[in-house]
Amino acid sequence: PSDRGDIAPRSFNRLDPRKLDQADLAEAYDRVRRSTEALIESLGPEDQNLQSMPDASPVKWHRAHTSWFFETFILKPHLPAYRPLDPGYEYLFNSYYNGVGRQYPRPRRGLISRPDQAAVTDYRRHVDGAIQQLLIQLDPPTLRQLAPLILLGLNHEQQHQELIVTDLKHAFSFNPAHPPCFGTRHEPSGQNAAFDWLGFEGGLFEFGHEGPAFAFDNEMPRHRAFLAPFELGSQPVSCAAYLAFMDDGGYERPELWLSDGWSWRQVEGIDAPLYWWREDGDWWHYSCTGARPVDPDSPICHLSFYEAWAFAEWSGARLPSELEWEHAVRALPIEGHFADRRRFHPEASAATGLTQAYGSVWEWTSSAYAAYPGFRPGKGAVGEYNGKFMANQMVLRGGSCATAAGHLRASYRNFFHPHQRWQFSGLRLARSAS
Ligand code: AVJ
Ligand code: FE
């Protein structure tokens, strides 16, 4: 299957970018770009233009914007002979980089029928050709300098692969026929091992990314922090546990909720996870493979931070801090249920110990998304990538069933606003050791 490009390369994110030669970079680039196209292979032009809410973007826009990223940050500054395919794309496909210029308003991206799907495919090919040309032309020292930026472009594309899945799932959920959007197989999920509490000793530990391999700037600098002894749930919270919270009036009891969460629940009329509905007394949900009965053993997902927090409160526990999470998973291999399994829905796991830390569902933490001590965003427009979002969002850890394999690591910090729940977001319980 590797010739279809649908298995994401695992290695380039684990190596020192300065040790990647021209052929390594060309291969990594080619495989990541082709894996985007393999993901959307079965989608038609109408599918690719849907935008269901201001937070989400059309598939077609994601395909163009990821190309724009390479064009803006690599081709225009570093390939003198580069000619943009269309000068208007600079404005149209700029997401949020004020240092590059003004941007077409995000909530109206679904109104752009032209460039059409075929024109966006041409744009991707144009950029791909120019990148491959740049890789051939540059001398090895210049290539070594550019390699971190190329890896940023590839990791950016992997992030947008996940957004393609979550954004189109959101759009398709409005279709009363519940057509499948992604995922080639649906299998019964099996049973979980028994839930367990796992203990961790406290102490002074190091956090954040270390070493030469790729990481985003928000995972640095590496720094020390103190943890009190704590315990973590052995597995992500299951649908069965969440149903018990719902049956116990979890959505009707303000004492379980944060004030902002309770207001959000009331204003939005929230009484179940996103994509859930009741049919003849049973809970169903829209999954990427279509309408399914809720499976009690699979991890709960599509929760907001507010719902995760209320559930933890109801359980007599709490959410882990992002540093507790990082410390607990540090020694684990980076394996799990990622997008390469093409299931696009979390499943039960019979494994014991600390399970499903990576993949399956993003885990909300109690940590506000903020700069690590000494953090400085990079210079220039590309410095807007992560740093300027460090207010009013919460950190999620571990990746999901829609994250590209090879994209994650222990120090990886995802972030969303506390009310947002269209990502594959769930939780794992924590408690302070007595
Ligand atoms: C880290 C997932 C919150 O969705 O804006 C995409 C990823 N950054 N392009 C986002 C991202 C730049 C980012 N999240
Ligand atoms: Fe982006």
Side-chain angles (χ1 to χ4, degrees):
S2 58
D3 58 314
R4 284 179 55 223
D6 55 2
I7 304 295
R10 290 162 185 279
S11 59
F12 69 89
N13 276 333
R14 310 279 176 242
L15 302 171
D16 181 345
R18 288 162 307 181
K19 300 213 169 110
L20 300 174
D21 63 16
Q22 184 268 331
D24 297 330
L25 288 167
E27 197 207 331
Y29 179 88
D30 184 55
R31 293 183 71 177
V32 172
R33 295 284 285 174
R34 278 199 293 140
S35 65
T36 305
E37 297 299 275
L39 179 66
I40 58 98
E41 198 170 53
S42 65
L43 304 177
E46 293 88 352
D47 301 327
Q48 290 202 33
N49 221 53
L50 286 173
Q51 182 180 28
S52 52
M53 62 169 168
D55 290 344
S57 300
V59 168
K60 192 179 75 182
W61 184 89
H62 288 294
R63 293 175 59 222
H65 161 71
T66 48
S67 311
W68 172 95
F69 191 93
F70 286 107
E71 180 175 72
T72 304
F73 296 117
I74 295 176
L75 294 174
K76 285 181 178 175
H78 300 287
L79 187 64
Y82 181 71
R83 295 288 164 267
L85 186 63
D86 184 328
Y89 290 179
E90 174 168 314
Y91 168 70
L92 203 51
F93 298 126
N94 179 359
S95 50
Y96 55 64
Y97 299 87
N98 297 318
V100 174
R102 293 175 64 246
Q103 304 111 39
Y104 180 81
R106 186 173 64 169
R108 293 189 214 152
R109 286 172 186 164
L111 299 178
I112 304 297
S113 61
R114 299 172 189 198
D116 64 11
Q117 183 200 18
V120 166
T121 302
D122 288 344
Y123 182 39
R124 288 183 68 85
R125 292 204 180 120
H126 180 80
V127 167
D128 290 347
I131 289 281
Q132 296 295 1
Q133 203 189 331
L134 169 129
L135 292 177
I136 291 166
Q137 278 178 15
L138 290 185
D139 55 277
T142 316
L143 205 58
R144 268 196 294 280
Q145 269 176 8
L146 261 190
L149 204 53
I150 294 169
L151 289 205
L152 179 64
L154 295 179
N155 279 275
H156 175 251
E157 181 123 1
Q158 291 182 319
Q159 290 185 317
H160 278 276
Q161 288 169 355
E162 177 153 9
L163 294 169
I164 284 173
V165 174
T166 55
D167 290 3
L168 194 72
K169 179 179 182 181
H170 191 262
F172 268 37
S173 75
F174 291 93
N175 187 324
H178 298 117
C181 50
F182 293 103
T184 47
R185 58 196 189 90
H186 174 77
E187 288 165 14
S189 163
Q191 288 193 330
N192 285 327
F195 176 88
D196 202 4
W197 285 105
L198 306 171
F200 297 87
E201 284 177 26
L204 189 62
F205 304 109
E206 300 226 333
F207 297 95
H209 180 69
E210 190 183 38
F214 175 84
F216 287 107
D217 57 356
N218 62 6
E219 300 165 53
M220 294 175 278
R222 189 148 168 108
H223 62 284
R224 291 186 299 174
F226 183 79
L227 296 184
F230 66 100
E231 296 180 339
L232 274 192
S234 57
Q235 54 196 224
V237 170
S238 67
C239 289
Y242 199 80
L243 280 163
F245 160 78
M246 290 169 67
D247 289 343
D248 198 33
Y251 279 95
E252 287 97 57
R253 292 163 53 183
E255 72 273 18
L256 299 175
W257 291 72
L258 291 167
S259 173
D260 283 358
W262 186 249
S263 312
W264 167 80
R265 200 205 64 72
Q266 285 181 303
V267 170
E268 304 291 329
I270 305 284
D271 59 7
L274 183 62
Y275 304 132
W276 283 35
W277 71 88
R278 238 182 188 329
E279 214 169 285
D280 303 325
D282 294 321
W283 284 104
W284 283 67
H285 70 116
Y286 176 62
S287 82
C288 284
T289 56
R292 303 281 170 205
V294 166
D295 166 38
D297 269 23
S298 62
I300 184 78
C301 70
H302 297 302
L303 295 185
S304 66
F305 169 81
Y306 297 133
E307 289 165 297
W309 202 94
F311 175 85
E313 189 68 15
W314 173 81
S315 306
R318 60 173 175 80
L319 297 175
S321 74
E322 64 166 320
L323 298 189
E324 288 172 333
W325 192 96
E326 184 170 325
H327 177 66
V329 310
R330 206 186 307 263
L332 298 179
I334 309 175
E335 293 165 1
H337 178 173
F338 291 117
D340 58 336
R341 285 183 59 190
R342 309 196 129 239
R343 167 76 172 89
F344 301 109
H345 201 75
E347 294 170 354
S349 166
T352 55
L354 188 66
T355 64
Q356 309 212 56
Y358 291 110
S360 301
V361 294
W362 286 103
E363 299 175 17
W364 283 109
T365 72
S366 61
S367 301
Y369 178 53
Y372 284 163
F375 171 77
R376 285 276 165 271
K379 284 200 199 66
V382 80
E384 295 179 51
Y385 196 108
N386 284 313
K388 71 179 186 179
F389 300 106
M390 290 174 173
N392 302 324
Q393 306 203 44
M394 303 303 291
V395 172
L396 302 100
R397 293 295 197 123
S400 82
C401 56
T403 308
H407 183 65
L408 257 288
R409 66 203 142 260
S411 58
Y412 195 105
R413 308 172 80 196
N414 198 2
F415 50 91
F416 279 95
H417 294 279
H419 68 277
Q420 290 175 316
R421 56 182 197 159
W422 91 109
Q423 301 303 300
F424 289 89
S425 47
L427 76 149
R428 178 185 306 269
L429 292 175
R431 61 185 190 189
S432 301
S434 39

